[in-house]
C-alpha cells in the first residue's frame, strides 16, 4: 500500500453511486453541484466518471424531476392563509 492509498478515505459508495445519491436525495440541483460536492468529499476522478453523455443526462433528469416534485408539493399545499385579526 503506498502513501496515496492510505490518504484516500474508505467509501461505501463508488463515485457514480454517490453521484446518483446526491441527485436523488442530496442538496445538489445540477450536474455542476454534484461535481463540486463529489470533489469536496474527495472522490477520485470525478470528471472522468461523469463525462459520459448517458450519465450526465440521467443525473440532470433526476435533479430536474426532484425539483419539479418539490415545487409541485409546495404549490399543492396552497398559499399560507393570513392570520385572523379584528
Amino acid at each position: 500500500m503506498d502513501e496515496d492509498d492510505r490518504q484516500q478515505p474508505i467509501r461505501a459508495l463508488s463515485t457514480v453511486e454517490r453521484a446518483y445519491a446526491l441527485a436523488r436525495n442530496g442538496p445538489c440541483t445540477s450536474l455542476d453541484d454534484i461535481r463540486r460536492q463529489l470533489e469536496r468529499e474527495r472522490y477520485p476522478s470525478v470528471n472522468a466518471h461523469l463525462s459520459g453523455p448517458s450519465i450526465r443526462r440521467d443525473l440532470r433528469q433526476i435533479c430536474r424531476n426532484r425539483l419539479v416534485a418539490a415545487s409541485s408539493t409546495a404549490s399543492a399545499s396552497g398559499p399560507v392563509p393570513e392570520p385572523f385579526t379584528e
Side-chain angles (χ1 to χ4, degrees), residues 11-25:
R11 303 191 189 292
L13 298 175
S14 71
T15 304
V16 171
E17 290 169 327
R18 181 65 177 140
Y20 276 94
L22 289 168
R24 287 186 188 106
N25 308 312

Side-chain angles (χ1 to χ4, degrees), residues 11-64:
R11 303 191 189 292
L13 298 175
S14 71
T15 304
V16 171
E17 290 169 327
R18 181 65 177 140
Y20 276 94
L22 289 168
R24 287 186 188 106
N25 308 312
C28 301
T29 59
S30 70
L31 188 55
D32 286 335
D33 288 348
I34 293 169
R35 278 193 179 119
R36 282 191 290 272
Q37 184 62 35
L38 289 170
E39 288 168 354
R40 275 193 292 272
E41 294 178 14
R42 298 181 60 206
Y43 274 87
S45 307
V46 171
N47 288 328
H49 286 290
L50 303 183
S51 66
S54 295
I55 190 168
R56 288 195 326 262
R57 183 177 50 248
D58 286 348
L59 293 172
R60 282 188 193 115
Q61 188 64 47
I62 292 167
C63 288
R64 192 174 304 122

Side-chain angles (χ1 to χ4, degrees), residues 64-78:
R64 192 174 304 122
N65 290 346
R66 197 178 87 231
L67 289 173
V68 168
S71 67
S72 296
T73 302
S75 64
S77 63

